[in-house]
Amino acid sequence: GENVEQHPSTLSVQEGDSAVIKCTYSDSASNYFPWYKQELGKRPQLIIDIRSNVGEKKDQRIAVTLNKTAKHFSLHITETQPEDSAVYFCAAGLGDYKLSFGAGTTVTVRA
Amino acid sequence: DTGVSQDPRHKITKRGQNVTFRCDPISEHNRLYWYRQTLGQGPEFLTYFQNEAQLEKSRLLSDRFSAERPKGSFSTLEIQRTEQGDSAMYLCACRASGTDTQYFGPGTRLTVL
């Protein structure tokens, strides 16, 4: 089955700096790559996603890049704010989008 | 609010008891997924429905677990003879046909004593 690895497990950044989270996946057939943000005690919420026919996607301060050849994808958050503090999960989906998630990255934005 | 609801939100039970959780997806979202999330980990896929048909089950889903979606709307997940290792957050997600996004519910936190 699909195996998704996510790094780093924790990330502390100064407010205003950028944060980058990287994920690799094992199944080259995976074709959908969402990123979810989960605040403490809350449900995972989609923040951005990308399909395998696209190399990069941007939404305001958030961007995702995908390298199909290397089977890795990354989340970039620019101009971080305290409200960006949360756990971020990458995932890879195949077929009818059974998602395989990474272990998560706890992001702390220091004021 | 994404509109996915789950009930109950918390469940404490003793080992060996049976428990049942319910998920009400967003109306007309015909794909429904169950995931399990333990502390410090990402959600793990358990099973998936398209309308009322259960199309895939993870090998994580032992014989003690059963899920149904009898009318293609709400779904239930039952765990029989609960074990302490079943303690986790059980998340439901749904997706509309022709779209990509899975919307998650708030989850049911199960504690097995």
Side-chain angles (χ1 to χ4, degrees):
Chain A
E2 175 65 276
N3 181 47
V4 177
E5 295 192 354
Q6 182 172 347
H7 300 280
S9 57
T10 61
L11 181 60
S12 179
V13 296
Q14 190 70 37
E15 183 177 359
D17 288 350
S18 295
V20 180
I21 303 170
K22 298 182 179 182
C23 290
T24 61
Y25 61 99
S26 60
D27 191 339
S28 56
S30 289
N31 57 4
Y32 175 63
F33 306 92
W35 286 87
Y36 282 85
K37 175 182 180 182
Q38 188 174 31
E39 297 177 31
L40 192 63
K42 302 274 184 76
R43 71 189 76 190
Q45 292 199 308
L46 180 77
I47 55 171
I48 195 167
D49 57 5
I50 193 167
R51 300 195 73 174
S52 59
N53 57 348
V54 176
E56 184 173 358
K57 185 177 178 180
K58 188 174 181 180
D59 183 4
Q60 299 183 340
R61 297 185 297 109
I62 295 173
V64 58
T65 59
L66 171 66
N67 184 325
K68 285 175 56 180
T69 303
K71 290 189 285 188
H72 67 69
F73 56 113
S74 301
L75 178 72
H76 304 252
I77 306 174
T78 59
E79 300 172 13
T80 53
Q81 301 169 3
E83 53 264 38
D84 294 328
S85 296
V87 181
Y88 291 80
F89 293 98
C90 63
L94 174 64
D96 232 341
Y97 299 155
K98 173 188 76 174
L99 296 178
S100 298
F101 284 83
T105 297
T106 301
V107 174
T108 303
V109 180
R110 306 186 307 272
Chain B
D1 190 326
T2 63
V4 184
S5 61
Q6 292 187 243
D7 184 71
R9 297 292 306 278
H10 303 273
K11 179 69 177 179
I12 300 174
T13 191
K14 293 183 179 179
R15 189 175 53 187
Q17 297 296 304
N18 299 344
V19 294
T20 300
F21 311 141
R22 177 179 170 125
C23 170
D24 286 89
I26 298 170
S27 178
E28 299 180 357
H29 280 210
N30 64 341
R31 268 75 165 172
L32 188 147
Y33 306 80
W34 284 98
Y35 293 87
R36 181 171 66 188
Q37 186 176 25
T38 54
L39 197 63
Q41 297 298 315
E44 294 176 295
F45 170 79
L46 293 178
T47 190
Y48 153 63
F49 290 86
Q50 180 176 323
N51 299 311
E52 67 276 9
Q54 188 174 17
L55 297 186
E56 189 168 350
K57 293 195 297 185
S58 166
R59 54 187 169 82
L60 293 175
L61 216 64
S62 76
D63 291 344
R64 298 184 297 106
F65 288 71
S66 62
E68 294 183 341
R69 194 182 184 198
K71 297 182 181 179
S73 55
F74 73 91
S75 176
T76 58
L77 178 68
E78 180 183 16
I79 309 175
Q80 296 183 327
R81 305 181 303 282
T82 52
E83 302 173 355
Q84 287 186 325
D86 297 331
S87 295
M89 175 74 83
Y90 289 84
L91 292 163
C92 171
C94 64
R95 179 171 72 88
S97 178
T99 68
D100 293 331
T101 304
Q102 288 190 26
Y103 295 92
F104 280 83
T108 294
R109 180 166 295 284
L110 173 66
T111 302
V112 181
L113 302 176

